[in-house]
Amino acid sequence: MMHVLAETAVATMRPSLSPEQLRCLYKQKSESGRKRATRNGLWIAVAFYLAYSFTDYLFISDVVQYTIAGRLAVGVGSLCILELLLYRNAKADTVDMAAAVSVLAAYLVWLLTAQMTTIKDAFSYYMVFGAIFMMSVNLFFSFRFPVALAASATNMLIFIVALYLFAPMLLLHKLILGAFCISCFIFTSYVNLQLNRERYKVFLNALEASLQQAAADERGKALLQLSNTDSLTGLENRRAIDQRLRDYWERWQDHRVPFAVLLIDVDYFKHYNDYYGHQEGDRCLVAVSHLLQSVASSFGSIIGRYGGEEFIVIAPMQDSESATELAEAMCVGVRALVWPHEHRRDGTSVITVSVGVSYTREQTKQVDKVIHEADRALYAAKATGRDTLVVFDPEDPQSNDDSEDIAATLKIALEHGLVSLVYQPIRNVQTGKTDAVEALMRLAMLDGTPVSPGKFIPVAERTGSIIELGRWAIRTVCRDLLATDLVQVVSVNVSPIELKVPGFAGYVAATLAEFDVTGARLAFEITEGVELEIDKDVVRCISDLRKLGAQVWLDDFGTGFAGLSWLRLIEFDTVKIDRSFLHDCNTERGKRMLLDIITLLRNRGVKILVEGVETIEHQRLMQQYGISQLQGYYIGRPAPASQLEADNVLRFSTIRNPDSRRLFRNGL
């Protein structure tokens, strides 16, 4: 809107002013310039007026003492009056009138004193110099036309009267000089009129140019603001925030002025958009941004939209405690909005935010490091349940996970053979044989140091490396295990990011065809406990995988809040109950909860697999509950493909328990 108004400023300014208003504006704008021009002109005119005393000496030397005295009196008097008027800040019209009267007085005094000469012949020609005074008011000064016209007309009348009263001159000469005087009057008055018109045109052109320049400046400011402003929330955008960060970083480097960075993420905003629509999502973001901006302003901080539902705050803070106070105020403020969000996965029914906080320290060498630390703190806040804040702690061992080194290693992992797969058996307690194996990815650094999956998998998901690694894993299990019939079924963990990438199902189809493997032998494990968005792209991809014949398993069932929703939307082949439920079976309450979950899944008609079987007691309990498929360290530890056996019989002898179904029915 600002730049549109600027573009129309020139077009609307002039037509909105009447000619009278434009004249008044011209008069106001030219006020000081006219006074300055009149002052300079009168001083120069007086100087020449006095210098012309030399012509008096040449032509009418007998009265030169009188003419010079008159010239001095008029010249000095005129300058004194002029300076007094300027000192009293008189208007330009008054100053011009005084100057015009001074010219007329100068002419009249000279004429009266010069007529006393006895050298009549010389004076009869010398009188023509009176035209110079007429020309001066029209051409030398910048008088407005009415003033110049009145002054020159008076000058002409004085000349004609003096000419009429000068007896020694012949009538013919008087007529000639009179005609000359009138001609000068007409010519110089016309020129003055044209000069005044030109001055007015120059003013109008200058006015239009100034308006155009103002409009251009306004457009420039509007475009600059537009380029630095987020169109939805009105906050500074990422471009502007990056410049702010550089400015704050320079102050930190030069003057050690500390600052904190807060990264703020609206919790489960993707779910909000899916259920309420993008228009409501925009309204929510605007409301949250206004609240955050109000809180940030009260702390003297700068806030911007960093992308999507993420905001960034730059706060000039002396310590982390002040930054924590700001972050807490933002979390509390957003909760106080009580903005409804009935479709979250954690049971909360209002919009909340998670905040990651970092701050400058002596060890901070780059501004990107501050952002990276805030991002890691935000990730930790989201991992610990959301609706909270986490301050990056450099002393916390969790903060020294060398994620940057891991991210760099992941980029070259496949090229340098730094990733590998191990396989954990899934055995059937009724047959004692391996029904399937789960492929588990392993990573080693360049120096051979192993990295736990809990560390490198989140980094791979954040950096996008998981896409290439996941495809490599699918191809590897098809080539090494399924194509060689080493095992019947292999399950591969799939990241939500992979499911959302276009062409994932197509890649799976091409890989199965390349190694002549049927889709039923490949299972994809979808982990409920991770941030898995239930959207149309994910559902479509799962549907495409099922069309290929591939199995779809739900992993870690019971650890998240979306399991039941997934059971309703997707027909899973197998559901893996998380190990925590089995390990809680040392109490009657834990056993009852596990039985409830098993009953729920049996009613849904899906196969059940329990993971985390680590003792013979775990295995026997699962037999009592009628669970045939088990996975865990007691069943079999992860091992490379070379250590797998085609006919892998269980080590333990208790395979079948004829009373297991009766015990399950009795709820034991």
Side-chain angles (χ1 to χ4, degrees), residues 6 124 143 152 225 244 307 365 369 496 501 580 582 664:
S124 64
F143 295 153
S152 60
Q225 183 178 0
R244 294 274 198 177
K365 303 301 181 184
K369 188 70 173 177
V501 173
S580 60
L582 176 60
F664 177 78

Side-chain angles (χ1 to χ4, degrees), residues 223-296:
L223 289 173
L224 180 61
Q225 183 178 0
L226 186 64
S227 66
N228 289 330
T229 303
D230 176 61
S231 59
L232 176 64
T233 63
L235 301 178
E236 295 189 7
N237 59 17
R238 187 160 187 162
R239 177 179 179 274
I241 285 295
D242 287 342
Q243 182 58 51
R244 294 274 198 177
L245 281 169
R246 287 191 290 269
D247 295 340
Y248 272 84
W249 180 250
E250 289 179 1
R251 292 172 58 192
W252 163 252
Q253 286 186 311
D254 298 340
H255 308 291
R256 277 302 184 255
V257 179
F259 66 93
V261 171
L262 286 70
L263 286 180
I264 307 160
D265 189 81
V266 181
D267 296 329
Y268 298 107
F269 188 72
K270 180 65 168 59
H271 291 288
Y272 190 94
N273 266 341
D274 289 343
Y275 285 99
Y276 293 100
H278 289 280
Q279 287 187 341
E280 284 299 316
D282 289 346
R283 288 184 62 247
C284 176
L285 283 181
V286 170
V288 171
S289 68
H290 288 172
L291 184 281
L292 296 177
Q293 185 178 32
S294 175
V295 176

Side-chain angles (χ1 to χ4, degrees), residues 21-68:
Q21 290 174 321
L22 283 173
R23 286 287 179 181
C24 290
L25 182 61
Y26 169 60
K27 187 176 179 181
Q28 293 172 2
K29 294 290 185 180
S30 61
E31 182 79 10
S32 59
R34 286 170 55 199
K35 289 194 288 187
R36 184 169 55 253
T38 300
R39 182 186 190 187
N40 294 337
L42 191 60
W43 275 90
I44 296 173
V46 168
F48 278 99
Y49 181 60
L50 295 177
Y52 267 88
S53 298
F54 180 70
T55 59
D56 292 343
Y57 176 77
L58 291 178
F59 304 132
I60 49 174
S61 58
D62 59 330
V63 292
V64 68
Q65 65 275 20
Y66 303 111
T67 60
I68 292 176

Side-chain angles (χ1 to χ4, degrees), residues 34 56 77-78 112 130 146 209 241 274 277 299 321 368 524-525 557 569 657:
R34 286 170 55 199
D56 292 343
S78 298
L112 293 175
I241 285 295
D274 289 343
F299 281 80
E321 287 75 15
D368 291 343
F524 293 95
E525 295 193 24
F557 181 77
L569 290 173
N657 188 333

Side-chain angles (χ1 to χ4, degrees), residues 24-225:
C24 290
L25 182 61
Y26 169 60
K27 187 176 179 181
Q28 293 172 2
K29 294 290 185 180
S30 61
E31 182 79 10
S32 59
R34 286 170 55 199
K35 289 194 288 187
R36 184 169 55 253
T38 300
R39 182 186 190 187
N40 294 337
L42 191 60
W43 275 90
I44 296 173
V46 168
F48 278 99
Y49 181 60
L50 295 177
Y52 267 88
S53 298
F54 180 70
T55 59
D56 292 343
Y57 176 77
L58 291 178
F59 304 132
I60 49 174
S61 58
D62 59 330
V63 292
V64 68
Q65 65 275 20
Y66 303 111
T67 60
I68 292 176
R71 288 176 187 271
L72 284 172
V74 173
V76 173
S78 298
L79 294 178
C80 290
I81 293 172
L82 174 71
E83 294 299 328
L84 179 62
L85 291 173
L86 293 175
Y87 176 76
R88 296 177 65 88
N89 199 25
K91 293 184 177 180
D93 286 345
T94 304
V95 174
D96 285 353
M97 188 65 69
V101 171
S102 297
V103 173
L104 293 175
Y107 177 48
L108 188 59
V109 169
W110 173 79
L111 190 60
L112 293 175
T113 55
Q115 278 187 338
M116 294 186 299
T117 181
T118 58
I119 312 173
K120 302 299 182 179
D121 291 339
F123 186 69
S124 64
Y125 296 100
Y126 194 32
M127 286 180 66
V128 76
F129 275 68
I132 295 176
F133 295 91
M134 183 189 302
M135 286 186 258
S136 66
V137 294
N138 279 317
L139 306 179
F140 188 73
F141 291 93
S142 298
F143 295 153
R144 295 176 62 208
F145 180 69
V147 175
L149 182 64
S152 60
T154 304
N155 186 283
M156 180 184 66
L157 291 175
I158 293 173
F159 182 84
I160 292 174
V161 170
L163 193 63
Y164 174 76
L165 296 176
F166 189 59
M169 185 179 295
L170 296 175
L171 178 60
L172 179 61
H173 291 172
K174 289 181 180 182
L175 293 175
I176 293 172
L177 289 179
F180 171 76
C181 181
I182 293 172
S183 299
C184 287
F185 166 74
I186 295 173
F187 172 75
T188 57
S189 296
Y190 175 77
V191 172
N192 178 270
L193 177 62
Q194 295 302 318
L195 288 174
N196 273 280
R197 286 178 175 174
E198 287 300 319
R199 293 188 192 104
Y200 185 61
K201 289 180 181 179
V202 169
F203 159 75
L204 292 179
N205 291 334
L207 177 62
E208 185 170 353
S210 66
L211 291 176
Q212 290 177 343
Q213 183 62 45
D217 293 342
E218 193 69 23
R219 284 196 301 271
K221 292 178 182 178
L223 289 173
L224 180 61
Q225 183 178 0

Side-chain angles (χ1 to χ4, degrees), residues 291-557:
L291 184 281
L292 296 177
Q293 185 178 32
S294 175
V295 176
S297 299
S298 66
F299 281 80
S301 305
I302 299 168
I303 184 171
R305 188 180 180 194
Y306 216 48
E309 67 272 21
E310 191 171 85
F311 301 90
I312 183 172
V313 174
I314 310 173
M317 300 292 183
Q318 294 296 325
D319 48 48
S320 61
E321 287 75 15
S322 301
T324 302
E325 182 181 355
L326 171 58
E328 288 177 346
M330 289 183 164
C331 289
V332 172
V334 173
R335 281 196 297 270
L337 284 176
V338 196
W339 195 279
H341 189 352
E342 301 291 343
H343 299 279
R344 292 175 57 137
R345 301 188 342 164
D346 57 356
T348 303
S349 59
V350 296
I351 285 289
T352 60
V353 294
S354 300
V355 185
V357 183
S358 66
Y359 55 94
T360 50
R361 309 183 309 280
E362 290 300 326
Q363 297 82 2
T364 308
K365 303 301 181 184
Q366 293 179 333
V367 66
D368 291 343
K369 188 70 173 177
V370 185
I371 302 297
H372 177 68
E373 291 173 353
D375 185 58
R376 287 165 61 180
L378 175 61
Y379 186 83
K382 294 166 69 174
T384 55
R386 303 175 188 261
D387 188 20
T388 187
L389 67 95
V390 171
V391 180
F392 180 81
D393 183 5
E395 303 300 327
D396 187 353
Q398 294 289 337
S399 300
N400 298 321
D401 62 356
D402 298 323
S403 61
E404 293 180 356
D405 294 337
I406 294 175
T409 302
L410 288 171
K411 292 181 180 180
I412 61 172
L414 294 178
E415 179 183 354
H416 290 78
L418 301 177
V419 288
S420 59
L421 292 177
V422 293
Y423 304 93
Q424 186 172 23
I426 299 171
R427 291 178 178 168
N428 191 309
V429 294
Q430 292 183 339
T431 64
K433 300 203 176 169
T434 301
D435 281 352
V437 295
E438 179 183 2
L440 302 171
M441 192 173 295
R442 298 291 184 260
L443 174 70
M445 303 295 282
L446 285 171
D447 60 0
T449 304
V451 183
S452 69
K455 287 187 175 181
F456 78 80
I457 293 297
V459 176
E461 290 180 335
R462 290 201 304 269
T463 59
S465 300
I466 194 67
I467 297 173
E468 185 179 7
L469 292 174
R471 295 192 174 192
W472 170 83
I474 294 170
R475 182 177 178 81
T476 300
V477 300
C478 288
R479 182 192 63 206
D480 295 348
L481 272 67
L482 299 180
T484 59
D485 293 325
L486 189 61
V487 294
Q488 183 63 27
V489 177
V490 180
S491 70
V492 180
N493 290 280
V494 61
S495 167
I497 299 175
E498 296 176 79
L499 295 175
K500 294 179 183 179
V501 173
F504 177 76
Y507 176 81
V508 173
T511 305
L512 292 173
E514 179 183 356
F515 295 103
D516 194 21
V517 174
T518 60
R521 299 182 63 191
L522 185 62
F524 293 95
E525 295 193 24
I526 301 173
T527 303
E528 181 200 346
V530 300
E531 177 62 16
L532 184 58
E533 306 287 356
I534 307 177
D535 61 19
K536 59 182 181 180
D537 294 331
V538 173
V539 174
R540 183 185 300 113
C541 182
I542 293 175
S543 176
D544 292 341
L545 292 175
R546 292 192 61 83
K547 290 177 182 178
L548 296 174
Q551 299 185 44
V552 180
W553 296 2
L554 181 60
D555 192 15
D556 294 341
F557 181 77

